Amino acid sequence: MQAWRDALVSDPTYSAARAAYRAGLERQPQARANLLPYVSAEAGGEYRDVRSTSGFRRDTSGTRGTWDLVLTQPLFDWGSYKTYEQSKLVVADVEVQLQQAFQDLLLRVSEAYFNVLSFEDQLAATVAEKSAIAEQVESAQRNFELGNATITDTYEAQSRYDLIVAQELQLQNLLEVQRDRLTQIVGNPPGSLARLPSGTPLPAPQPARLEAWSSQAQSSSLEVVRAELQTRIAQRDIEIARSGFYPIVALRASSGSATDSRLTNPGSGRPIDNSIGVVVSMPFYTGGAVSSRVTESVQLEQRARFNAETSRRQALQLARQYYTGVTTGLLRVRALEAGERSSRSAVEANRLGYEVGVRINLDVLNAEQQLYATQRDLAQVRYNTLIDGLRLKATSGILAEADLDAINQLLRFGPPAIEKPADTRRSGMTGLAPGKAAGGNARSNRGAGGPLGPAIAPAAGTTGGPTSGSGLSTPAAPIYGSPVAPPAGSSAAPAGRSRSAPGAMPTPSPAPYLAPNAAPNAFPNTAPDSTPNTATKGISAPWVPPDGSQVPDSAPPDFLNQRSR
């Protein structure tokens, strides 16, 4: 709630609304003043020169001073009276405007606050995903160097890593933008923010009936209330304009004197003239101005009526939108939480499958991408559901500080709750390619021993023709044929797997046998219409890329970018 308290004091938009409210309150005393007595004092001086029309002879001349005290009390002024009645509606209108500004500040603070939390959670999920992909890059590179995987695995992992780095930079920028937005409202940079813990149940709308919220919004929405006030103000404008046809009756009393005044009966002192009476002012012709003002006011009143109907329809639409947003958001939160658990299990299963040879690196990357995308969506949906709940109450005209305090009770201080999947790598298996676990030598056809060719070169004495135009060797035996026999002198041959269900596609054959002390080369150095080089213990020479560059024996995870540079 500290951010909210700071915003109440520091937000310039709300401060401007409060100043406008205080200014609007003065409309009523201003209108009431036109119905109260008006007292004025007048004083003046003049030079008088009186001459005769015959010969233009001067009769009298000299200076003259006057003073008057005048009181005027309106007795009948229909325009002033209706203006006073209208001022009461104007004051009610500025009060509604201030309440709108208050609710708008509540929403702006909540949106800015929760947007910061949402992007922090999304950034934490992206950083965790980058860490997981970096591990896959390193694993794919080690397997490639050991000759247990194709270069394709490394390319795929490195491309995913580069993309997730770009996404991380974008989220960092968006997070800074949201922090600046919150700073603009509260007046100072936000520090550590309390966040919504994982698994916290979100409040549902009460009552849980769309019709109740719709009816409340149509009658009590601040936009609707203000539109109805504007209509009533426009009706008063019509009556004020029509008052131009009516007379104005006022009581007038005055008291004054002049320096050249003389008493009728000679005596000491100066005369004081006192008078009191009723003044009637009746307009007969104003050049059509009054009729024009009446016509204008009638049309403005019609516009206000249509605007009020628009406000009611918009309030109904927004109430339905935010109500369904909250209810759908609650369902989505539960669905995404279940999806997060399923995705985490999928990641663990794919990692284990990658270790034992039934999954490839791309499967692990896709599973991790799905997990962290689900976590980002879940973080966004949870905070959007809370914001929609506040917007629903604002549309219904009942949003108050207590609603923000109720949400604040759900928040706790702490880092983003991003759970990583459990590490399923078994001891002694980290970095090994599929099928290379202790005691196992079978590998899936989808792995390095798939259609792209064996990741391990054929043993001495075996043959393997090149793939047309690719520079990659093909398996010595058909993909679904019998396994390749081990070289002479080897102690054991790989055992085939038979896990296919009845009617399913035949199980791929194991990869060629790796001779003892073999060098970890990924591909045989073959050329079109040639056989693999088997000069060293049955293992081919290092594979040379088509562009002639050399792959280092122990390249860093980012060696692909280094080579391209």
Side-chain angles (χ1 to χ4, degrees):
M1 295 293 289
Q2 184 61 42
W4 164 245
R5 287 188 286 267
D6 292 342
L8 281 175
V9 178
S10 304
D11 182 56
T13 302
Y14 183 64
S15 299
R18 286 187 295 181
Y21 167 72
R22 291 190 293 266
L25 292 179
E26 301 302 320
R27 294 288 296 274
Q28 186 171 358
Q30 292 172 11
R32 184 174 58 246
N34 294 328
L35 302 176
L36 299 178
Y38 178 75
V39 181
S40 64
E42 300 175 359
E46 60 184 17
Y47 174 81
R48 298 184 63 186
D49 185 12
V50 181
R51 294 178 181 271
S52 171
T53 57
S54 177
F56 202 63
R57 295 189 306 272
R58 176 178 294 176
D59 181 57
T60 59
S61 65
T63 59
R64 181 176 184 269
T66 63
W67 62 268
D68 290 284
L69 184 64
V70 181
L71 179 145
T72 303
Q73 170 63 58
L75 300 178
F76 177 80
D77 188 345
W78 190 250
S80 297
Y81 176 72
K82 288 301 178 181
T83 301
Y84 174 66
E85 292 295 320
Q86 185 190 54
S87 67
K88 299 177 182 179
L89 299 176
V90 172
V91 170
D93 181 62
V94 297
E95 290 176 351
V96 174
Q97 291 185 54
L98 180 62
Q99 185 63 22
Q100 280 184 311
F102 184 80
Q103 290 192 354
D104 178 67
L105 180 61
L106 272 170
L107 291 177
R108 287 189 292 114
V109 171
S110 301
E111 291 176 5
Y113 189 95
F114 290 141
N115 283 342
V116 171
L117 296 182
S118 176
F119 279 103
E120 284 182 352
D121 289 349
Q122 294 182 54
L123 181 60
T126 302
V127 171
E129 183 178 3
K130 184 181 75 170
S131 176
I133 294 177
E135 294 177 0
Q136 289 300 122
V137 172
E138 295 176 358
S139 176
Q141 175 59 18
R142 285 194 301 268
N143 293 331
F144 172 71
E145 293 170 355
L146 293 172
N148 300 329
T150 64
I151 191 63
T152 305
D153 290 345
T154 308
Y155 286 151
E156 290 171 346
Q158 185 66 38
S159 65
R160 293 290 181 89
Y161 184 85
D162 295 337
L163 292 176
I164 203 63
V165 168
Q167 186 175 358
E168 179 188 13
L169 295 174
Q170 181 184 17
L171 288 175
Q172 289 175 348
N173 177 65
L174 293 176
L175 176 59
E176 288 302 317
V177 171
Q178 295 303 322
R179 282 187 169 274
D180 291 340
R181 182 185 175 191
L182 182 58
T183 302
Q184 178 186 1
I185 298 174
V186 301
N188 50 71
S192 178
L193 303 180
R195 62 186 63 256
L196 190 65
S198 177
T200 302
L202 304 182
Q206 295 295 334
R209 291 183 296 109
L210 177 58
E211 294 77 10
W213 288 100
S214 300
S215 177
Q216 174 75 13
Q218 285 185 298
S219 60
S220 302
S221 171
L222 295 183
E223 288 290 344
V224 174
V225 172
R226 191 178 176 212
E228 292 177 348
L229 286 173
Q230 291 292 332
T231 302
R232 297 173 62 186
I233 291 174
Q235 292 173 349
R236 297 296 190 275
D237 280 333
I238 297 177
E239 298 177 358
I240 294 172
R242 286 175 178 169
S243 68
F245 295 117
Y246 306 149
I248 298 176
V249 182
L251 175 68
R252 180 182 174 87
S254 64
S255 177
S257 180
T259 56
D260 59 349
S261 298
R262 297 290 182 270
L263 294 174
T264 304
N265 298 322
S268 63
R270 182 178 299 169
I272 296 177
D273 298 328
N274 298 313
S275 64
I276 185 171
V278 176
V279 180
V280 179
S281 176
M282 180 66 186
F284 288 103
Y285 179 70
T286 59
V290 176
S291 298
S292 177
R293 283 195 291 268
V294 171
T295 302
E296 177 188 17
S297 300
V298 169
Q299 297 304 315
L300 291 177
E301 191 265 346
Q302 290 295 321
R303 184 188 68 174
R305 287 183 181 274
F306 291 131
N307 289 340
E309 180 62 24
T310 301
S311 298
R312 279 188 290 270
R313 295 183 182 184
Q314 186 176 12
L316 175 62
Q317 184 268 328
L318 290 177
R320 292 179 177 272
Q321 174 184 337
Y322 295 140
Y323 180 85
T324 55
V326 175
T327 55
T328 304
L330 294 174
L331 296 175
R332 289 191 63 195
V333 167
R334 287 196 290 268
L336 288 172
E337 287 175 346
E340 182 186 17
R341 292 190 294 268
S342 301
S343 298
R344 185 177 291 105
S345 299
V347 170
E348 296 170 359
N350 275 277
R351 285 179 177 176
L352 182 59
Y354 178 66
E355 299 297 338
V356 300
V358 296
R359 284 292 186 268
I360 60 173
N361 192 43
L362 182 60
D363 295 329
V364 179
L365 293 173
N366 289 337
E368 291 176 343
Q369 183 182 35
Q370 178 178 329
L371 169 62
Y372 294 111
T374 302
Q375 290 180 345
R376 286 189 290 267
D377 292 342
L378 178 58
Q380 188 173 8
V381 169
R382 293 170 72 211
Y383 293 117
N384 286 346
T385 301
L386 290 176
I387 293 175
D388 281 344
L390 296 176
R391 288 172 177 167
L392 176 62
K393 293 185 177 181
T395 302
S396 301
I398 59 175
L399 181 62
E401 185 175 348
D403 299 307
L404 191 61
D405 184 64
I407 294 180
N408 184 65
Q409 301 301 322
L410 304 176
L411 306 180
R412 298 291 184 273
F413 284 97
I418 299 299
E419 299 181 12
K420 296 183 179 180
D423 191 355
T424 59
R425 296 183 179 90
R426 291 172 289 181
S427 176
M429 293 178 59
T430 302
L432 295 181
K436 298 305 293 178
N441 52 17
R443 43 189 319 166
S444 168
N445 184 55
R446 297 180 60 200
L452 292 179
I456 305 172
T462 62
T463 59
T467 302
S468 176
S470 65
L472 303 179
S473 63
T474 57
I479 294 176
Y480 298 110
S482 58
V484 179
S490 62
S491 59
R497 290 195 304 269
S498 180
R499 301 175 59 183
S500 301
M505 184 177 292
T507 304
S509 60
Y513 180 78
L514 179 63
N517 302 323
N521 296 316
F523 298 99
N525 184 16
T526 59
D529 301 328
S530 65
T531 57
N533 185 355
T534 58
T536 307
K537 296 186 180 181
I539 303 301
S540 62
W543 173 72
V544 179
D547 58 1
S549 59
Q550 295 293 329
V551 179
D553 292 336
S554 179
D558 197 29
F559 83 100
L560 298 176
N561 292 335
Q562 294 176 3
R563 287 182 55 203
S564 62
R565 291 193 291 266

